[in-house]
C-alpha cells in the first residue's frame, strides 16, 4: 500500500472517501510501527496511540522526538563539524573524489533530516564550505572560478546545485586521470620487473675498465 500520506505530518484528507482510505492506511501502518519500532522511548510513543491505532499521529510524534532528542542534537552537531572542517586531502576519507562529494552531500541531507525546519544551513553556506573542502585539489579548486565566470556570462547568480553539478563532472574526470596514471605506474613496474630478470646482479656490475674475460 501507498502510505505516504500517513507519513506526511501535515496531510489532511479533503473528502469522506479520502478519510475512509486514510483511516485504513493508518491502521495498516500502525501494525508495522508496532513491530519495527524497538527503542524503549519509541515503543512508549507508539503505544500512546494504541486505542485508535493512529499511525499518523504516532509517526509524527516519533519524528519530533527523534529531532529533539539529545542523541539527535549531538549527531547534528558532529555532522555540522564535519561539513565545516573536512577537506578532501586530509586522509580521513578512503575513496575516490567523486565518492567524497557524494558522502559530503549525504551528510548535508542527514543533517537536514535531523534538524528539520530548525536548520539554518543555507545553500550559500553549503557552497562556501564545499569550495573550501575541495580547495586542496587544484583541478577542483578551479571549478569555482569557472562557475563564477559562467554566472557573469549568463547574468545568473551561481547556485549551489549548479556548482555541485560542475564539481561532480570535474571530479569524475579527475578520478579517471588518476586511474590512468595508476595503470601506467603498474605497467612501468611490470616492465621493470621483466627487464630486471635479465640485468646483471649488483655483484656483476661493470664499467669501462672491467676486463671482458
Amino acid at each position: 500500500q501507498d502510505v505516504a500520506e500517513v507519513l506526511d505530518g501535515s496531510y489532511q484528507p479533503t473528502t469522506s472517501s479520502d478519510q475512509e482510505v486514510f483511516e485504513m492506511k493508518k491502521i495498516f501502518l500502525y501494525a508495522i510501527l508496532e513491530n519495527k519500532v524497538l527503542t524503549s522511548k519509541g515503543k512508549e510513543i507508539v503505544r500512546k496511540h494504541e486505542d485508535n491505532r493512529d499511525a499518523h499521529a504516532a509517526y509524527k510524534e516519533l519524528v519530533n522526538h527523534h529531532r529533539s532528542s539529545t542523541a539527535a542534537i549531538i549527531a547534528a552537531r558532529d555532522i555540522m563539524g564535519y561539513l565545516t572542517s573536512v577537506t578532501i586531502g586530509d586522509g580521513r576519507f578512503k575513496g575516490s573524489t567523486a565518492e567524497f562529494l557524494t558522502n559530503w552531500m549525504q551528510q548535508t541531507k542527514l543533517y537536514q533530516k535531523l534538524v528539520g525546519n530548525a536548520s539554518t544551513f543555507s545553500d550559500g553556506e553549503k557552497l562556501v564550505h564545499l569550495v573550501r573542502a575541495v580547495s586542496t585539489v587544484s583541478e577542483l579548486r578551479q571549478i569555482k572560478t569557472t562557475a563564477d565566470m559562467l554566472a557573469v556570462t549568463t547574468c545568473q547568480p551561481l547556485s549551489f546545485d549548479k556548482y555541485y553539478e560542475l564539481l561532480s563532472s570535474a571530479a569524475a574526470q579527475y578520478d579517471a586521470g588518476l586511474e590512468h596514471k595508476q595503470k601506467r605506474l603498474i605497467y612501468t613496474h611490470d616492465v621493470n620487473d621483466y627487464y630486471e630478470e635479465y640485468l646483471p646482479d649488483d655483484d656483476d656490475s661493470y664499467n669501462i675498465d672491467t676486463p671482458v674475460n
Side-chain angles (χ1 to χ4, degrees), residues 23 26-27 30 48-55 57:
E23 292 298 326
K26 288 196 295 184
I27 294 172
Y30 187 85
K48 282 171 57 179
H49 304 275
E50 189 172 12
D51 290 343
N52 55 8
R53 305 187 73 77
D54 187 350

Side-chain angles (χ1 to χ4, degrees), residues 58-173:
Y59 184 76
K60 185 176 181 178
E61 192 172 343
L62 283 168
V63 170
N64 290 336
H65 168 70
H66 179 64
R67 287 176 175 167
S68 62
S69 68
T70 302
I73 293 171
I74 293 173
R77 183 193 64 195
D78 290 346
I79 291 172
M80 179 55 71
Y82 168 84
L83 293 172
T84 57
S85 66
V86 70
T87 56
I88 200 167
D90 64 8
R92 285 190 284 170
F93 183 79
K94 306 300 181 185
S96 68
T97 308
E99 288 169 341
F100 173 87
L101 295 180
T102 298
N103 179 71
W104 197 92
M105 281 298 294
Q106 286 176 340
Q107 295 305 312
T108 66
K109 292 176 181 177
L110 180 56
Y111 176 80
Q112 299 280 13
K113 185 176 181 181
L114 286 170
V115 179
N117 294 331
S119 172
T120 57
F121 198 39
S122 67
D123 281 355
E125 289 180 286
K126 291 178 191 175
L127 180 60
V128 169
H129 290 298
L130 187 54
V131 168
R132 178 200 50 73
V134 302
S135 62
T136 52
V137 178
S138 60
E139 290 86 346
L140 303 185
R141 185 170 62 246
Q142 294 168 4
I143 298 304
K144 178 60 165 60
T145 303
T146 303
D148 286 338
M149 292 175 61
L150 181 63
V152 171
T153 303
T154 60
C155 298
Q156 296 289 333
L158 175 63
S159 69
F160 174 77
D161 288 342
K162 184 61 180 177
Y163 171 70
Y164 185 77
E165 179 185 337
L166 294 171
L167 190 63
S168 295
S169 177
Q173 293 179 37

Side-chain angles (χ1 to χ4, degrees), residues 150-210:
L150 181 63
V152 171
T153 303
T154 60
C155 298
Q156 296 289 333
L158 175 63
S159 69
F160 174 77
D161 288 342
K162 184 61 180 177
Y163 171 70
Y164 185 77
E165 179 185 337
L166 294 171
L167 190 63
S168 295
S169 177
Q173 293 179 37
Y174 177 74
D175 287 339
L178 287 180
E179 185 177 354
H180 179 67
K181 287 180 182 178
Q182 198 170 34
K183 286 181 178 178
R184 287 185 62 186
L185 286 173
I186 292 172
Y187 173 75
T188 302
H189 178 73
D190 289 344
V191 169
N192 287 341
D193 284 349
Y194 173 80
Y195 281 111
E196 281 173 5
E197 287 188 43
Y198 300 95
L199 288 175
D201 293 336
D202 289 341
D203 292 339
D204 295 328
S205 59
Y206 60 96
N207 60 34
I208 194 170
D209 296 321
T210 304

